[in-house]
Amino acid sequence: MGEVRVLLVDDHPVVRAGLRAMLTGFDGISIAAEASDGRAALHELARLAALGGMPDVVLMDLQMGEGMDGVTATAEIRKLHPAPPVLILTTYDTDADILAAVEAGASGYMLKDAPPEQLRQAVLQAAAGGTALAPRAAALLMDRISNPGTSLTPREVQLLELLATGLSNRAIARQVFISEATVKTHLVHIYGKLGVDNRTAAIAAATQRRIIRPPGARG
Amino acid sequence: MGEVRVLLVDDHPVVRAGLRAMLTGFDGISIAAEASDGRAALHELARLAALGGMPDVVLMDLQMGEGMDGVTATAEIRKLHPAPPVLILTTYDTDADILAAVEAGASGYMLKDAPPEQLRQAVLQAAAGGTALAPRAAALLMDRISNPGTSLTPREVQLLELLATGLSNRAIARQVFISEATVKTHLVHIYGKLGVDNRTAAIAAATQRRIIRPPGARG
DNA sequence: CCCGCAGTCAACCTTTTGGTTGATCCCGTC
DNA sequence: GACGGGATCAACCAAAAGGTTGACTGCGGG
């Protein structure tokens, strides 16, 4: 039957070379095109569509040094008409990454340290319209539906962001026009929800869970 | 002959495949062996030594999911007798990573998003006993020797990293086996050099200037 | 051989944070 | 119309962090 044609999206030439070598080594899988960021991926898809054939699956990295990130690109791709399934292939398996990817409409979530055979299975599965999840991704989603979970309120997230810029309680208070007492109250709530007991740990935890962006944005 | 024989050390099969494909595609470079972490790399070196030939260069990732990390492995390799040069190939270019690598005795520091040709040059250079540095790494080291006073010392960077994980002064003190008083002294120096006056601002500043990786950036 | 600097530590004091209790207000929902 | 949660604030105390001064060590360069 037909070959499964893959669009590779990753900003590292080394990783693209690895995936190319690995995937083309499998029977029934070929590389349709490659892109180094989300924007380029969309261009490639437009080009391929014009040439008559969408790829059967997009293999997408989440962390892109510059340009459009993987989550945004995935969401954009889902809007296309012959929308190819997007299989996320990334380095990290944090809650926020997994959740963001699934929310964006990814068909799967695999890790770069997965053995080649698992990767092959995942690509074929996604191309066939199925789902492929790394063990931890699957576990997280199961846990999520059984456990709604305590999440931060928008206000708390806002204060957390200011916190991460290095502002004192007083400075934060002035910034958002509330009293220092209120800032402290919010922080106590935040610490409780994040399971920490000081501001630096809160920043670390919130950054890790991608609740806030790292201070001094980078890919 | 004159082939440059490389030992690949990276925990990701995909990346190893990429490097293998890329490097073997170059004339004069071949893969002697591969390892998925520092410990395995040392085993491979012992095995290769027994078989009569150390590799001409070790291409080492810094962030290893599990097992011995790249810095430790690099330091260990330097203790060997026919010690092959170690070329670091990693994702991040923060001061902390660069300094740690250089201190451990690395012969070069390259980033994974480097174009293939640059990578080839770096491998050949390292194998020939030379040095290969990514622009930012080179700039950092130049800056260090021209104005040592204004930049952070390795010790200060180390404490900064612990700070960013959310540890208290006491916890940091215990972690590095010094007194809390000393931690405070270091922090005061750090604040002065970064132009801030509290720990969260220090984390923000240090992250922004890429002195440390963002809190929670996992290996 | 001396100097400077990184690194170590102590004592002391001020400011900031962390943690608690309790209260008011508003806005949805049951 | 009662209930609960989010947001707001105050007062208070304990703990941690910030800042200063001063001192000792070890090491490399002039």
Side-chain angles (χ1 to χ4, degrees):
Chain A
M1 209 338 265
E3 287 255 304
V4 169
R5 297 165 62 250
V6 179
L7 168 62
L8 288 186
V9 189
D10 197 302
D11 60 332
H12 292 170
V14 170
V15 175
R16 286 205 306 275
L19 291 171
R20 194 188 315 130
M22 197 172 273
L23 293 178
T24 54
F26 293 134
D27 279 352
I29 299 182
S30 67
I31 306 299
E34 300 183 10
S36 62
D37 85 306
R39 176 93 34 215
L42 292 173
H43 286 157
E44 283 302 313
L45 285 178
R47 194 178 63 79
L48 292 173
L51 291 175
M54 273 289 184
D56 300 299
V57 58
V58 178
L59 199 53
M60 170 95 65
D61 188 15
L62 277 189
Q63 288 82 27
M64 233 80 80
E66 46 200 35
M68 184 187 290
D69 71 283
V71 172
T72 308
T74 299
E76 285 298 315
I77 290 174
R78 302 305 300 146
K79 294 182 189 163
L80 297 179
H81 262 320
V86 177
L87 177 60
I88 301 296
L89 181 70
T90 186
T91 305
Y92 309 115
D93 60 351
T94 61
D95 299 10
D97 279 348
I98 296 170
L99 256 26
V102 172
E103 270 171 39
S107 293
Y109 193 101
M110 298 295 295
L111 294 176
K112 282 184 185 168
D113 59 5
E117 175 56 21
Q118 238 175 62
L119 183 55
R120 177 179 149 270
Q121 295 281 359
V123 169
L124 295 180
Q125 207 128 357
T131 302
L133 291 177
R136 274 182 208 162
L140 172 67
L141 295 182
M142 298 292 274
D143 187 63
R144 273 279 147 163
I145 46 177
S146 63
N147 249 31
T150 14
S151 55
L152 299 178
T153 68
R155 189 59 151 176
E156 285 164 353
V157 173
Q158 183 194 8
L159 293 205
L160 207 37
E161 283 176 330
L162 293 173
L163 193 68
T165 67
L167 296 179
S168 68
N169 290 348
R170 186 171 304 168
I172 294 174
R174 277 199 277 260
Q175 190 100 14
V176 295
F177 306 109
I178 60 179
S179 81
E180 205 176 328
T182 306
V183 173
K184 291 174 69 172
T185 303
H186 282 305
L187 290 189
V188 168
H189 293 159
I190 291 171
Y191 298 161
K193 289 181 180 179
L194 293 180
V196 299
D197 62 356
N198 69 67
R199 51 181 54 215
T200 49
I203 294 172
T207 307
Q208 209 150 20
R209 301 183 200 177
R210 305 277 168 108
I211 293 168
I212 57 173
R213 310 188 58 105
R218 46 187 316 224
Chain B
M1 56 164 289
E3 279 261 301
V4 170
R5 297 166 63 247
V6 179
L7 167 62
L8 290 186
V9 189
D10 197 302
D11 58 333
H12 292 170
V14 171
V15 175
R16 285 204 306 274
L19 290 172
R20 195 187 315 131
M22 197 171 273
L23 294 177
T24 54
F26 293 134
D27 278 352
I29 298 182
S30 67
I31 307 297
E34 301 184 10
S36 61
D37 85 306
R39 177 90 36 212
L42 292 173
H43 286 156
E44 282 302 313
L45 286 179
R47 194 178 61 81
L48 292 173
L51 290 176
M54 274 289 184
D56 300 299
V57 58
V58 178
L59 199 52
M60 169 96 64
D61 189 14
L62 275 191
Q63 289 82 30
M64 231 79 78
E66 46 201 35
M68 184 188 289
D69 72 283
V71 173
T72 308
T74 300
E76 284 300 315
I77 290 175
R78 302 265 72 228
K79 294 180 190 166
L80 297 180
H81 260 320
V86 177
L87 176 60
I88 302 296
L89 182 70
T90 187
T91 306
Y92 303 106
D93 61 349
T94 60
D95 293 13
D97 283 345
I98 296 170
L99 288 179
V102 171
E103 264 173 46
S107 292
Y109 193 101
M110 299 294 294
L111 294 175
K112 281 185 185 168
D113 58 7
E117 175 55 22
Q118 241 174 59
L119 184 55
R120 176 179 150 269
Q121 296 282 0
V123 169
L124 296 180
Q125 207 126 1
T131 302
L133 292 176
R136 194 188 145 67
L140 171 69
L141 297 182
M142 298 291 274
D143 185 66
R144 289 239 124 207
I145 50 175
S146 62
N147 41 333
T150 47
S151 51
L152 298 178
T153 68
R155 189 57 152 177
E156 285 164 353
V157 172
Q158 183 195 8
L159 292 204
L160 207 36
E161 284 184 307
L162 294 173
L163 194 67
T165 67
L167 296 179
S168 68
N169 290 347
R170 186 172 304 168
I172 295 173
R174 276 199 276 259
Q175 190 99 15
V176 296
F177 305 109
I178 59 180
S179 81
E180 205 176 327
T182 305
V183 173
K184 291 174 70 172
T185 303
H186 281 304
L187 291 188
V188 168
H189 293 160
I190 291 171
Y191 299 160
K193 289 180 180 180
L194 293 180
V196 299
D197 62 354
N198 68 67
R199 51 180 55 216
T200 49
I203 294 172
T207 307
Q208 217 145 17
R209 300 186 202 173
R210 311 235 268 187
I211 294 168
I212 57 173
R213 292 203 295 275
R218 305 111 304 182

